[in-house]
Amino acid sequence: MVPWAVRCCLATVRWLPVVFITAVVAWSYYAYVIQLCIITVESVPEKVIYLLLYHPFLILFAWSYWKTIFADPSPVPKQFYLSDSDVQRFQTAENEEAQRQILAKMARERDLPVQCRTVTGAYRYCEKCKLIKPDRAHHCSVCGTCILKMDHHCPWVNNCVCFNTYKFFVIFLGYGLLYCIYVSLTVLKYFIQFWSGGAGQGMGRFHILFLFFTAAMFAISLASLFGYHCYLSSQNRSTLESFRPPIFRSGPDKNGFSLGARANFQEVFGDNKKTWFLPMFTSMGDGVSYPTRVDANAANTYNTMGNTASPSFGDGVTYPTRTVDDDSDQLLGQRQRWAEEGDVNSPSGQTRYSAFDNEVVITAPKYM
């Protein structure tokens, strides 16, 4: 058990990246509004235009950042947890085959909409949380619990990017990028003047010089990260799933949750165009069950998001009805462990998979 004082220190340290970003944004406001618009820019119409356009970008950026930080991570519903008696039976089972049978029986009795499996066909189980993992859920060691549709734990927001926060995170990146581009473009003329020594004296000059460099640097970093997550959204994948495809009963399929570009976009941003780009939660679904791309000839299908009143927007995607296959238990192998045991390094950060409970920790790339 980690001592209380150590936990407090770790919790404090985790807020440092957020404090850093907040301080940079606060300083950029001073440098842009005071040093550039009020002191440096001489034309009154230019001042007014700069300030009128600047503040909407700042408000949307700060609003989406706030929501990404303070939105609660997606908790797993109680029906996925094992009761104390089930945990006792599970832990005292004679072998892993008996343990797998316990999980399979629970999933059937509770009618859990679980499609994803381990590589051996077993239900995914978290030893730490004592639950059957819903599809796309993973255990975050930083949050200390399993998270629905976990993408990664981002240190820059000190929160899990997951089902509840993914839309906020994507538009935070987008508005952050627009904010940096706008600041860079409007400061560029005065940056050139100050750099060439043609105008400006005192410390105000250095504020504007550093403002341009900072905005340009962040714009480059955010452009790559925002572009990557736009791609993931269009494919309906999380960062985790881009490195390790989800495994269905038919086998691994990196496009298993992809319903077509339009449906994938709506799953994250919702079906109301007026709220697509506002930091408001409009994502579709419950975070537990997801429609999948199903072969029309497949024998075993699941109803993952209920009946739909209208046809799917995907490329030939249907929302199937569930049939219970009693042979599902026989698909379970000899061990309920991930084959990808060990450390896996990726360009976007590190992913660590541990045996049996499939603990996952992703550290976001330090773009900022």
Side-chain angles (χ1 to χ4, degrees):
M1 184 69 178
V2 180
W4 178 84
V6 175
R7 293 201 305 271
C8 289
C9 290
L10 290 175
T12 302
V13 169
R14 290 182 189 129
W15 282 102
L16 292 180
V18 175
V19 172
F20 172 74
I21 295 298
T22 304
V24 170
V25 174
W27 165 78
S28 71
Y29 184 86
Y30 166 79
Y32 190 89
V33 175
I34 306 299
Q35 292 295 334
L36 178 68
C37 293
I38 295 179
I39 297 177
T40 303
V41 178
E42 298 179 355
S43 171
V44 174
E46 187 177 356
K47 291 177 186 283
V48 173
I49 292 173
Y50 280 5
L51 290 174
L52 286 178
L53 295 177
Y54 171 80
H55 284 88
F57 286 121
L58 175 64
I59 291 171
L60 289 170
F61 168 55
W63 184 10
S64 57
Y65 189 45
W66 175 275
K67 294 288 287 186
T68 309
I69 295 172
F70 294 105
D72 290 332
S74 315
V76 176
K78 293 182 179 180
Q79 61 264 33
F80 287 86
Y81 285 83
L82 276 66
S83 64
D84 292 339
S85 59
D86 289 330
V87 171
Q88 182 66 22
R89 285 196 303 118
F90 182 83
Q91 293 177 343
T92 58
E94 296 180 355
N95 50 49
E96 292 185 3
E97 176 63 27
Q99 291 179 332
R100 291 195 299 274
Q101 295 297 333
I102 292 173
L103 297 180
K105 182 179 179 182
M106 285 185 54
R108 289 197 308 272
E109 291 178 346
R110 300 184 184 185
D111 197 27
L112 300 180
V114 179
Q115 303 181 82
C116 293
R117 302 288 194 270
T118 66
V119 292
T120 59
Y123 285 92
R124 301 187 308 136
Y125 174 74
C126 179
E127 266 192 336
K128 295 186 177 181
C129 297
K130 305 296 187 295
L131 58 80
I132 297 174
K133 290 185 178 182
D135 293 343
R136 314 184 83 173
H138 297 278
H139 186 90
C140 175
S141 64
V142 180
C143 296
T145 187
C146 284
I147 303 294
L148 296 179
K149 195 185 177 183
M150 181 180 174
D151 187 273
H152 68 282
H153 189 96
C154 180
W156 299 107
V157 299
N158 191 31
N159 201 357
C160 254
V161 178
C162 55
F163 175 73
N164 281 353
T165 61
Y166 190 70
K167 178 190 174 182
F168 302 145
F169 179 73
V170 174
I171 63 175
F172 152 64
L173 296 177
Y175 285 128
L177 176 60
L178 291 176
Y179 177 80
C180 292
I181 291 176
Y182 176 79
V183 170
S184 299
L185 292 178
T186 52
V187 171
L188 180 60
K189 178 176 71 173
Y190 300 95
F191 168 80
I192 295 174
Q193 292 179 1
F194 294 158
W195 188 262
S196 60
Q201 299 294 333
M203 290 300 298
R205 170 183 179 179
F206 293 101
H207 279 291
I208 294 176
L209 291 175
F210 283 119
L211 179 62
F212 176 80
F213 279 123
T214 303
M217 178 188 68
F218 274 79
I220 294 172
S221 299
L222 287 171
S224 60
L225 190 57
F226 178 63
Y228 177 64
H229 279 279
C230 285
Y231 168 76
L232 291 180
S233 298
S234 69
Q235 301 298 312
N236 205 341
R237 293 180 206 157
S238 66
T239 300
L240 270 173
E241 292 164 352
S242 67
F243 298 127
R244 183 181 63 188
I247 302 174
F248 300 89
R249 292 171 60 180
S250 58
D253 185 1
K254 66 179 181 180
N255 296 317
F257 295 109
S258 180
L259 310 175
R262 182 178 178 182
N264 292 342
F265 178 87
Q266 289 184 332
E267 188 168 302
V268 176
F269 293 91
D271 54 3
N272 186 352
K273 296 180 180 179
K274 296 180 180 178
T275 58
W276 276 353
F277 305 115
L278 292 178
M280 302 169 60
F281 181 78
T282 56
S283 299
M284 300 178 69
D286 55 7
V288 173
S289 55
Y290 298 88
T292 57
R293 186 169 64 176
V294 181
D295 184 357
N297 296 322
N300 300 314
T301 57
Y302 285 84
N303 180 10
T304 57
M305 289 186 71
N307 296 325
T308 55
S310 60
S312 165
F313 293 109
D315 302 329
V317 178
T318 59
Y319 292 82
T321 57
R322 184 179 183 221
T323 60
V324 179
D325 185 1
D326 292 333
D327 293 333
S328 61
D329 296 349
Q330 304 305 320
L331 295 175
L332 306 176
Q334 293 300 313
R335 297 179 61 84
Q336 181 176 343
R337 298 182 185 276
W338 290 103
E340 298 90 343
E341 185 175 332
D343 291 334
V344 179
N345 295 323
S346 68
S348 299
Q350 286 191 340
T351 308
R352 185 168 65 253
Y353 305 101
S354 68
F356 202 72
D357 64 349
N358 308 319
E359 176 182 339
V360 179
V361 179
I362 286 190
T363 301
K366 296 183 179 179
Y367 288 99
M368 294 185 279

